[in-house]
């Protein structure tokens, strides 16, 4: 996704302004990505020629970095980066009759809920998913599965911020074969 990096640079003589990374994982602490500014000739601009201010850079969501140039450079550039929630881990996948009970480690902070995906293929092509809308929930029974058929399952956390869902990475994979 285009987060606005390198577009509409309003500073004179500045070629590009980027962040070390555009996506981070929630740590509970303020995240301050390194800024790399280059002049129009491609040379790195010394950090003494600009100041950096961060906003909304602790919790899950979209954070802002404002770079204000001074000295021989003038102008301001605003960049965004994303903070995603911490992931979780599947602790158990128990076979039931034409279903499976998936249990995972509860993620306590900065999580709205969980998404479970399952597939009969290891690469999760044509995977189906189930949304668990409560952060306190730590297990879910997936029903309407075929008995004696192996399924692969993963879980990830999500947090909804101002109508946008931010997702963690997918968890470990567990295999389960529902009973007949």
């Amino acid at each position: 996704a285009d987060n606005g990096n390198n577009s509409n640079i309003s500073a004179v003589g500045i070629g590009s302004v980027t962040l070390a990374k555009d996506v981070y994982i929630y740590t509970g602490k303020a995240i301050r990505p390194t800024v790399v500014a280059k002049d129009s000739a491609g040379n790195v601009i010394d950090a003494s020629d600009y100041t950096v201010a961060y906003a909304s850079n602790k919790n899950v969501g979209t954070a802002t970095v404002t770079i204000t140039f001074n000295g021989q450079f003038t102008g301001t550039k605003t960049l965004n980066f994303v903070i995603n929630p911490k992931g979780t881990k599947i602790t158990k996948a128990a076979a039931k009759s034409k279903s499976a009970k998936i249990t995972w480690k509860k993620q306590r902070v900065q999580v709205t809920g969980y998404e479970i995906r399952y597939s009969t293929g290891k690469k999760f092509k044509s995977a189906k998913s189930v949304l668990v809308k409560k952060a306190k929930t730590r297990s879910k029974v997936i029903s309407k599965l075929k008995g004696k058929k192996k399924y692969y399952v993963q879980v990830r956390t999500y947090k909804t911020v101002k109508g946008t869902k931010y997702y963690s990475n997918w968890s470990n994979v567990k295999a389960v074969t529902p009973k007949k």
Side-chain angles (χ1 to χ4, degrees):
D2 180 16
N3 62 8
N5 292 358
N6 289 328
S7 62
N8 301 323
I9 293 174
S10 60
V12 177
I14 296 170
S16 67
V17 182
T18 58
L19 300 176
K21 288 185 348 185
D22 293 332
V23 179
Y24 292 82
I25 296 173
Y26 173 79
T27 63
K29 298 177 182 175
I31 296 172
R32 295 179 180 92
T34 302
V35 173
V36 178
K38 293 184 179 180
D39 64 20
S40 52
N43 300 311
V44 174
I45 298 172
D46 191 86
S48 65
D49 287 328
Y50 57 86
T51 59
V52 180
Y54 299 91
S56 304
N57 63 324
K58 182 178 177 185
N59 294 327
V60 171
T62 299
T64 304
V65 183
T66 304
I67 301 97
T68 305
F69 291 89
N70 55 53
Q72 65 179 357
F73 300 97
T74 59
T76 300
K77 175 70 177 161
T78 301
L79 304 175
N80 296 317
F81 65 95
V82 171
I83 302 172
N84 285 325
K86 275 185 175 180
T88 187
K89 178 181 175 182
I90 296 176
T91 55
K92 190 175 182 182
K96 304 219 172 261
S97 176
K98 294 186 181 177
S99 64
K101 182 178 180 181
I102 311 305
T103 307
W104 57 89
K105 186 176 178 185
K106 183 168 66 172
Q107 191 52 262
R108 299 183 187 279
V109 293
Q110 292 290 303
V111 170
T112 302
Y114 305 89
E115 182 180 18
I116 303 166
R117 74 174 176 179
Y118 58 98
S119 176
T120 54
K122 286 182 182 180
K123 295 188 179 189
F124 289 92
K125 288 184 180 176
S126 302
K128 293 183 179 180
S129 66
V130 177
L131 211 57
V132 176
K133 295 181 180 180
K134 292 186 180 177
K136 292 182 179 183
T137 303
R138 49 180 251 59
S139 68
K140 174 78 176 168
V141 174
I142 300 171
S143 56
K144 298 182 182 174
L145 301 178
K146 294 179 182 174
K148 298 196 173 192
K149 179 97 174 145
K150 186 184 272 190
Y151 287 86
Y152 299 92
V153 185
Q154 286 183 305
V155 178
R156 67 180 177 178
T157 63
Y158 75 90
K159 177 154 177 79
T160 305
V161 180
K162 296 179 184 174
T164 301
K165 282 190 174 94
Y166 295 87
Y167 293 94
S168 71
N169 292 329
W170 287 104
S171 72
N172 57 319
V173 176
K174 287 278 188 183
V176 61
T177 305
K179 299 172 185 174
K180 192 171 180 180

